[in-house]
Amino acid sequence: MEYLCKFGRIGNRKTTVISGVHYNTNAERQKYIDDGYIPISDEDYQHYIGNRGQGDNGTGYIRDAKTGKPVSAPPAPPVKAEPEPIEPEADDVRLAAFEAMAAQEERMAAQAKRIAELETMVKALKGGEGK
């Protein structure tokens, strides 16, 4: 089994094709070679796919342009901490309006409950439904 890999500008593995899977003849193989694919060993392939660890920096392996061998990829760039969101100031007028609306809804619910109780009492006094 032979692996042909295409690498990015910094040496990261972009695409891999495998003999017997993606190509079977020398002519098919040559098309990949002409398209920039490079033959690599099974051991090198195992490094690139992470089966040999994640390298010295925990970011995997890339292809060294000089030696053609896997080397530890550079460390990941530091992640900038996002500033904590600023709590918007409460608009006193709007806050008062929402509180008033909530209080009004509570009063309306209480009134609806009281009306239902009164209607039940009136029905009972009249002797039930339909009288």
Side-chain angles (χ1 to χ4, degrees), residues 65-79:
K66 293 179 184 176
T67 65
K69 290 299 198 182
V71 294
S72 293
V79 176

Side-chain angles (χ1 to χ4, degrees), residues 24-44:
N24 291 307
T25 67
N26 282 334
E28 291 171 331
R29 179 184 185 272
Q30 189 60 45
K31 287 180 184 177
Y32 286 110
I33 299 292
D34 293 343
D35 193 29
Y37 286 77
I38 299 168
I40 63 167
S41 69
D42 180 60
E43 184 61 25
D44 289 353

